[in-house]
Amino acid sequence: MNVNEILDRRMMWGNWTIVSEFVLVSFSTLSSELQALLFLLFLTVYLVTLMGNILIILVTTADSALQNPMYFFLRNLSFLEIGFNLVIVPKMLGTLIIQDTTISFLGCASQMYFFFFFGAAECCLLATMAYDRYVAICDPLRYPIIMNRKACAQLAAASWFSGFPVATVQTTWIFSFPFCGPNRVNHFFCDSPPVIALVCADTSLFELEALTATVLFILFPFLLILGSYVRILSTIFRMPSAEGKRKAFSTCSSHLLVVSLFYSTAILTYFRPRSSTSPESKKLLSLSYTVVTPMLNPIIYSLRNSEVKSALRRVIRRTLGPQKL
């Protein structure tokens, strides 16, 4: 925000007003019938997301054949996806069905904090999962030594912990700014760009820090993933047998698809110039990585992974008995 915009707001609103709540614009410009249809659609997606990720957690925990690093990280990813959904979707459903568009100052700060936390942690965990596939395919003989239980726990803990600094710095800094009075957040949740647009102070230093954080927690993990898959594909193409190539690629294809879905929308959202993206298109892009991708992750890992499908059948067989199948 430049100096002229700040002065214009101060002249318009006089003294700064204490903002005690925000209004989420969400999809209020749509007709009530279309909002009802969106509510049913997003509610279905939300329930499928919860059930799918809970199922992944239960299957990878209960089945002895899935007690290896890849499924340990997948279990952590499912926990992150559940948290990500719980932060965003329930409030969005409320804005659609009962027009509950207000959110308290503290509620908005809390939602933004956990959005940053789960988002940064997921970026780092996806990079960790790429490293796991890199070691498994490029250095298979040392894989059990490198990716031992202690190393896996440390990598998962580091991924989760990475969300704390970015969430704490970003959220604390944003909500320490003065808000002049306008409190309509043009989004379906309290994301940083639409909230910072309501600030009447110079935010250039914060925007520089936000860009740095975006590079560190979105672009840098993405480059690590990209580098890992360059080495993985190079190793796969050098394998002598077609069967070996197929098996090696099948172990990382699900993760590669999930990464592509998540990062394509996240990069389009946070690395495009403001002037080239309308608020409505940003909402659609945000829906992709906050609502759609968490639902697709368990579907991708269960449908494209024969080990998960076999484990799911074994769990059902033990639960219902062989005569039910």
Side-chain angles (χ1 to χ4, degrees):
M1 185 181 296
N2 59 45
V3 175
N4 289 334
E5 289 175 326
I6 297 169
L7 292 175
D8 287 344
R9 283 198 177 184
R10 289 181 180 177
M11 291 174 63
M12 183 183 300
W13 293 94
N15 295 329
W16 292 335
T17 304
I18 296 177
V19 174
S20 60
E21 66 181 19
F22 294 95
V23 177
L24 297 173
V25 174
S26 191
F27 303 99
S28 59
T29 57
L30 302 177
S31 65
S32 57
E33 293 80 7
L34 190 51
Q35 288 189 57
L37 287 175
L38 286 177
F39 170 79
L40 293 175
L41 174 63
F42 293 149
L43 178 61
T44 302
V45 171
Y46 178 58
L47 294 176
V48 170
T49 300
L50 291 182
M51 290 187 292
N53 282 289
I54 290 171
L55 187 61
I56 289 288
I57 293 169
L58 293 176
V59 170
T60 57
T61 302
D63 194 88
S64 58
L66 302 184
Q67 303 306 307
N68 60 50
M70 183 172 76
Y71 297 108
F72 170 74
F73 293 128
L74 176 58
R75 188 157 58 246
N76 277 267
L77 180 63
S78 289
F79 276 116
L80 281 174
E81 298 289 26
I82 290 172
F84 208 69
N85 249 239
L86 290 174
V87 168
I88 304 295
V89 180
K91 181 61 182 177
M92 181 179 68
L93 293 175
T95 64
L96 287 169
I97 194 64
I98 58 174
Q99 304 300 310
D100 180 20
T101 58
T102 60
I103 184 170
S104 68
F105 189 90
L106 181 60
C108 187
S110 299
Q111 187 182 53
M112 185 181 293
Y113 181 92
F114 285 107
F115 169 73
F116 282 140
F117 169 76
F118 286 117
E122 181 163 346
C123 289
C124 293
L125 185 62
L126 289 173
T128 298
M129 294 172 77
Y131 174 71
D132 170 67
R133 292 299 83 209
Y134 162 75
V135 177
I137 293 172
C138 300
D139 198 0
L141 295 179
R142 296 203 307 149
Y143 179 70
I145 300 172
I146 296 174
M147 301 302 293
N148 57 59
R149 187 181 296 271
K150 181 180 179 181
C152 290
Q154 290 173 339
L155 287 168
S159 298
W160 280 87
F161 180 77
S162 66
F164 284 109
V166 64
T168 302
V169 172
Q170 296 270 86
T171 307
T172 303
W173 199 339
I174 288 175
F175 286 91
S176 65
F177 282 122
F179 292 88
C180 299
N183 65 344
R184 290 175 62 82
V185 178
N186 194 5
H187 213 318
F188 58 85
F189 71 100
C190 288
D191 197 6
S192 171
V195 172
I196 207 70
L198 304 177
V199 170
C200 59
D202 183 10
T203 60
S204 55
L205 185 60
F206 168 80
E207 289 173 9
L208 179 61
E209 183 277 334
L211 178 61
T212 304
T214 302
V215 170
L216 285 176
F217 290 95
I218 294 182
L219 193 58
F220 184 64
F222 176 72
L223 293 176
L224 289 177
I225 294 169
L226 192 61
S228 297
Y229 274 103
V230 168
R231 295 293 302 273
I232 288 171
L233 292 175
S234 175
T235 301
I236 290 175
F237 289 141
R238 291 200 305 269
M239 291 179 176
S241 69
E243 182 64 18
K245 291 179 181 179
R246 187 191 65 79
K247 286 184 177 179
F249 188 74
S250 67
T251 64
C252 57
S253 60
S254 297
H255 177 257
L256 189 57
L257 185 55
V258 167
V259 167
S260 300
L261 289 170
F262 180 82
Y263 272 100
S264 59
T265 52
I267 289 174
L268 283 173
T269 302
Y270 293 103
F271 283 94
R272 291 177 67 180
R274 289 183 183 178
S275 58
S276 66
T277 309
S278 68
E280 299 307 314
S281 63
K282 280 193 173 182
K283 290 177 190 178
L284 291 175
L285 287 171
S286 298
L287 281 172
S288 299
Y289 66 84
T290 58
V291 179
V292 179
T293 302
M295 176 194 70
L296 293 178
N297 286 353
I299 295 174
I300 291 170
Y301 273 101
S302 58
L303 293 181
R304 294 181 59 86
N305 191 304
S306 58
E307 289 183 333
V308 173
K309 288 190 287 187
S310 299
L312 182 58
R313 284 195 292 268
R314 287 193 294 270
V315 170
I316 294 174
R317 187 179 294 114
R318 286 197 299 267
T319 304
L320 301 179
Q323 71 277 8
K324 300 290 185 180
L325 296 178

